Amino acid sequence: MGWLAAGDRHEVALVDGRVVARATSGRAAGRQLKSLPKAVREHPEVDRLHRLAEWLQRHAAACTAQVDTWMVSSLPVPTGLLARVWPDEAWQLTLRDLVVAGDNAEQTGFLRDATADGELRVVNLDGETVRLAPETVTLPHPVLLPELDELREFAADLGVTQAVEQIHRATWHKPDGLAEKAIEVDAFAGGTYASRFLLATRATALGYRVSGGYATCRIRQAGHSIEAAVWIGEPYGDESIQTGSLTWNGSGGRALPLREVGPVAWSEGMRMAAALYAGRTVEESKGS
């Protein structure tokens, strides 16, 4: 977007998500000003640019949320869809350098481009740029990537920065030997907060849903939606509270035995529980 006239002596534009102004006359003509002059702050063009900036922020957040859902849910994404949204800067910034997987292991790499005819260009672990045109691709959850360590090292060499946390996402692998009837994990229970409000606020800020007495996140597993849940206390309680156990619920709210929880659902549930536990009140030990 170019510069727009805002009165007789100034022009305004949206630069890096911020409304800026420059003078069109006098000694400062053509120079971007450090702040918006009072004379243009109420101009209709400035108001329009502010509203555009807000919309662009919401759009970028929506793109990030959608791509994160694709990854966490292991959903196949039509290659043609990626090609159609790629020209949109918000989509491109969100998708660029994510690991995508095609029909086989050789079709896995960092996404660098998507052409108008539906072809993807990725950089594989051999450092080669390869062209893919499968009907669909996936954006694998890191717990499903067998070469995750190699991808992390290669990403560091390439200077890769991902808008959606993927290869550097914290992961947990389900241990072997779980009891047949076990339905909850207590590894991150007992984290103390001064109030339920603070705990719920942290959960919301981290992007988790708060419903009733639980912080939850939804994951698709084998085509079905399941919900990981951590007890955070009854609503409106003012007293201190502790994080509770982590459970997973299937259709109809049925508590899933831990043995039935898939790798992505396990990892994402543990990630949520760990993040909530990390915000607990930690008492400083007194020196002797």
Side-chain angles (χ1 to χ4, degrees):
M1 174 180 288
W3 291 89
L4 305 171
D8 298 330
R9 301 176 57 187
H10 295 92
E11 292 178 328
V12 293
L14 196 60
V15 178
D16 296 330
R18 187 170 65 92
V19 181
V20 298
R22 70 181 182 184
T24 57
S25 62
R27 298 176 63 181
R31 193 182 311 163
Q32 183 174 313
L33 305 177
K34 293 182 179 180
S35 60
L36 286 178
K38 186 176 180 180
V40 302
R41 290 176 190 169
E42 303 300 325
H43 194 279
E45 290 293 0
V46 173
D47 179 64
R48 188 167 73 88
L49 289 177
H50 278 307
R51 286 188 280 112
L52 175 60
E54 292 172 358
W55 182 88
L56 289 173
Q57 290 176 354
R58 292 194 300 270
H59 175 56
C63 294
T64 300
Q66 181 60 72
V67 172
D68 189 78
T69 297
W70 288 340
M71 181 191 65
V72 172
S73 301
S74 302
L75 291 171
V77 183
T79 305
L81 173 60
L82 297 184
R84 285 196 298 274
V85 301
W86 189 262
D88 183 318
E89 183 178 353
W91 277 107
Q92 190 175 140
L93 289 173
T94 302
L95 291 165
R96 183 183 294 278
D97 284 331
L98 285 182
V99 175
V100 299
D103 296 329
N104 53 60
E106 286 71 33
Q107 294 186 341
T108 300
F110 294 99
L111 179 62
R112 284 299 174 90
D113 193 16
T115 63
D117 58 0
E119 183 180 77
L120 305 182
R121 294 175 184 173
V122 305
V123 177
N124 62 23
L125 279 173
D126 294 325
E128 299 176 345
T129 299
V130 297
R131 300 181 177 184
L132 310 180
E135 184 175 348
T136 63
V137 293
T138 58
L139 310 174
H141 188 281
V143 79
L144 301 178
L145 289 169
E147 297 178 313
L148 180 58
D149 290 338
E150 290 85 346
L151 287 166
R152 286 173 172 170
E153 291 178 7
F154 190 45
D157 293 338
L158 291 177
V160 163
T161 300
Q162 295 182 319
V164 172
E165 194 176 33
Q166 185 191 33
I167 61 170
H168 294 297
R169 196 181 191 92
T171 58
W172 281 262
H173 292 271
K174 187 168 68 171
D176 297 327
L178 292 169
E180 183 176 352
K181 296 184 179 180
I183 61 170
E184 61 184 30
V185 175
D186 293 326
F188 298 107
T192 301
Y193 280 75
S195 70
R196 193 264 188 190
F197 172 78
L198 292 175
L199 178 49
T201 298
R202 177 170 175 82
T204 302
L206 291 169
Y208 298 114
R209 180 171 177 261
V210 173
S211 177
Y214 294 90
T216 66
C217 66
R218 287 190 176 277
I219 311 100
R220 287 188 65 81
Q221 175 177 294
H224 299 283
S225 179
I226 68 172
E227 185 177 73
V230 173
W231 174 253
I232 62 171
E234 295 289 351
Y236 312 116
D238 294 328
E239 66 281 355
S240 64
I241 194 71
Q242 291 186 334
T243 54
S245 300
L246 167 66
T247 58
W248 287 264
N249 302 313
S251 58
R254 180 180 73 91
L256 291 179
L258 299 185
R259 289 187 174 187
E260 295 182 21
V261 178
V264 175
W266 179 275
S267 186
E268 286 299 299
M270 292 291 284
R271 179 173 178 262
M272 175 177 65
L276 296 179
Y277 185 78
R280 70 195 185 281
T281 300
V282 179
E283 295 185 2
E284 296 183 4
S285 59
K286 297 180 180 180
S288 56

